[in-house]
Amino acid sequence: MVRGVNMKRSVSLRRKKVKSEIKARRPKRTLLNSQSLLAWYDQHRRILPWRALAGVTQDPYRVWLSEIMLQQTTVAAVGPYFQKFIKRWPTIRHLAKAPVDQVLQMWAGLGYYRRAHLLHACAQRIAADYRGQFPESEAELLELPGFGPYTAAAVAAIAFGQRANVVDGNVERVMARLFALQTPLPKVKVEIRAVAATLLPEARYGDYAQALMDLGATICTPRRPKCGICPLNKDCRAHALGIEEKLPQKIRVEKKPVRRAMAFVLINKKNQVLLRQRSKQGLLGGMMEIPSSVWQEGKMPQLTEVQRQAPAKTKWQILPGKVKHIFSHFELELAVAVGIAPKAVPGKWVGLSRLEDEALPSVMHKIVRHAVENL
């Protein structure tokens, strides 16, 4: 019993020691951190297609477009799409006049397609209600389609130099380490926003926001952070405690459910593939698709079970292998059946070489490739 009490006391003392060490390394609530970061940014800022050069005024349209595209998507993936959008629709008025189907077509492959619908709706709203000019305050930006707290803060700070607390995934990681915040994500997000607000500079809000993003993307990376060259390493509590790679902590995510279905690749005599448009509501709303049975959890359906959902009555050949695709909240496994259209079947028929011109999501391209490779 005494031994148990002593062990508890020992654990308690260790915890107090760690807490005191953390407190001792707490970054001072001064401008020191932000000024050090801005000095680093002036020398090491990334060159990005949507980012204005030093001393050049930011284009709000480019800032907004990039921020929408970068949601849940990497910089490397966004670059080519951003360039295509800007070339085709150089201003928000051009984008507002475009048919939404063309926007979806250009967005195809970038994922999270609801963003494309909201992007177009926002462009139309700004063109109609704001004479093609973005409002400058966070509060007004939050009223626009597709704007959440992060996007409103980012556009307000970067495009208009407004004082705003911009916190994305990179900034969350930097702050969690700088302050050694050990509450797991997502619960720690509120605390991160609070501590991040204490470090805002007196000016250059846009540069500061982008500096934090660049620091998280290039120095304070998820794995093997380059602490030795970090401009904030002297004030970083996690680095002082040697726990930087463990932060931010994350709650173990449960395995995603798996939905299964059968995709029907119907080909006509002209070697064209049948496409149909998905409902404008829900997942992949308004995009084109290869017809399939209902996506649902359970075992892979047999052809006899889902043949009534096929786009035509024909002899279907089940191909070997499966198509797998991961969505944000579930995994999808598809068996692929190929058939020859017996007669004229209503729908949109597209040649294989022209599929890139359609608003076809990545998973649909996977289905077509699987069919071509296994026929």
Side-chain angles (χ1 to χ4, degrees):
M1 183 69 179
V2 174
R3 183 181 178 186
V5 172
N6 289 336
M7 287 182 65
K8 288 182 180 179
R9 286 178 179 172
S10 178
V11 170
S12 179
L13 287 171
R14 285 200 298 271
R15 285 178 177 171
K16 288 181 179 179
K17 183 179 180 181
V18 169
K19 287 182 179 179
S20 65
E21 289 177 350
I22 290 175
K23 189 175 182 180
R25 293 299 303 174
R26 186 179 185 86
K28 296 178 181 179
R29 189 173 177 176
T30 67
L31 298 178
L32 175 63
N33 304 93
S34 58
Q35 295 304 323
S36 299
L37 182 61
L38 285 167
W40 171 84
Y41 179 70
D42 288 339
Q43 291 186 348
H44 302 285
R45 59 188 289 158
R46 289 182 292 174
I47 304 299
L48 300 171
W50 47 84
R51 181 180 289 178
L53 298 176
V56 178
T57 302
Q58 291 276 10
D59 179 356
Y61 174 59
R62 285 173 169 258
V63 173
W64 164 71
L65 180 59
S66 67
E67 289 297 341
I68 299 299
M69 287 184 166
L70 286 166
Q71 294 171 8
Q72 305 294 325
T73 311
T74 65
V75 168
V78 166
Y81 283 89
F82 178 84
Q83 299 282 27
K84 287 193 299 182
F85 263 73
I86 288 296
K87 183 177 181 180
R88 186 161 185 177
W89 301 299
T91 70
I92 198 164
R93 291 183 183 276
H94 289 96
L95 180 59
K97 292 178 181 178
V100 68
D101 288 345
Q102 289 184 12
V103 177
L104 289 172
Q105 176 187 330
M106 290 286 282
W107 194 276
L110 199 54
Y112 298 91
Y113 295 96
R114 186 168 180 269
R115 293 180 297 171
H117 286 284
L118 292 172
L119 185 88
H120 187 253
C122 184
Q124 292 188 319
R125 174 83 177 275
I126 291 174
D129 296 349
Y130 295 90
R131 297 182 179 180
Q133 302 297 316
F134 280 84
E136 297 186 10
S137 71
E138 278 187 80
E140 288 180 293
L141 289 167
L142 275 170
E143 297 298 320
L144 297 173
F147 271 84
Y150 165 75
T151 307
V155 173
I158 299 170
F160 301 111
Q162 300 286 328
R163 190 178 193 276
N165 190 18
V166 184
V167 181
D168 70 349
N170 283 321
V171 179
E172 285 179 348
R173 185 167 57 256
V174 171
M175 292 299 160
R177 290 171 176 174
L178 188 61
F179 288 85
L181 304 178
Q182 299 186 54
T183 303
L185 286 167
K187 290 184 178 180
V188 76
K189 286 177 177 284
V190 174
E191 192 175 358
I192 285 175
R193 286 192 59 81
V195 297
T198 68
L199 298 180
L200 287 175
E202 293 180 338
R204 297 185 65 187
Y205 301 115
D207 284 346
Y208 177 71
Q210 293 175 105
L212 277 175
M213 296 175 192
D214 282 11
L215 187 73
T218 63
I219 301 294
C220 196
T221 50
R223 296 181 181 179
R224 298 179 182 178
K226 305 175 183 68
C227 299
I229 58 173
C230 177
L232 305 181
N233 58 12
K234 292 181 180 179
D235 292 310
C236 182
R237 291 161 64 185
H239 178 56
L241 296 170
I243 59 173
E244 58 267 28
E245 287 202 56
K246 296 180 180 179
L247 299 180
Q249 293 189 28
K250 298 180 181 179
I251 297 175
R252 183 173 294 179
V253 180
E254 294 183 7
K255 190 175 182 181
K256 294 179 181 180
V258 180
R259 299 181 188 177
R260 296 178 174 88
M262 184 168 292
F264 299 100
V265 180
L266 190 63
I267 303 172
N268 64 14
K269 294 180 180 179
K270 297 180 180 179
N271 206 31
Q272 296 171 316
V273 178
L274 177 69
L275 301 180
R276 67 184 181 190
Q277 188 173 33
R278 293 178 63 87
S279 167
K280 293 188 180 298
Q281 304 300 319
L283 185 67
L284 306 179
M287 305 292 286
M288 302 303 293
E289 71 168 357
I290 299 294
S292 73
S293 63
V294 176
W295 300 356
Q296 57 190 11
E297 294 179 34
K299 65 179 183 179
M300 184 66 72
Q302 298 298 309
L303 179 59
T304 53
E305 298 171 331
V306 294
Q307 200 157 3
R308 288 185 178 181
Q309 299 179 47
K313 290 184 178 181
T314 189
K315 184 177 180 179
W316 293 100
Q317 175 189 352
I318 307 297
L319 301 180
K322 297 180 180 67
V323 170
K324 297 183 179 181
H325 192 79
I326 298 176
F327 290 94
S328 60
H329 55 292
F330 70 93
E331 295 181 11
L332 179 65
E333 289 185 2
L334 296 166
V336 179
V338 176
I340 304 299
K343 55 183 179 179
V345 177
K348 185 170 187 178
W349 292 90
V350 181
L352 293 177
S353 62
R354 301 302 301 271
L355 288 175
E356 293 293 339
D357 298 331
E358 299 296 323
L360 207 61
S362 299
V363 62
M364 303 304 162
H365 282 289
K366 286 183 180 180
I367 294 170
V368 175
R369 284 198 299 270
H370 185 83
V372 170
E373 292 170 0
N374 288 276
L375 275 175

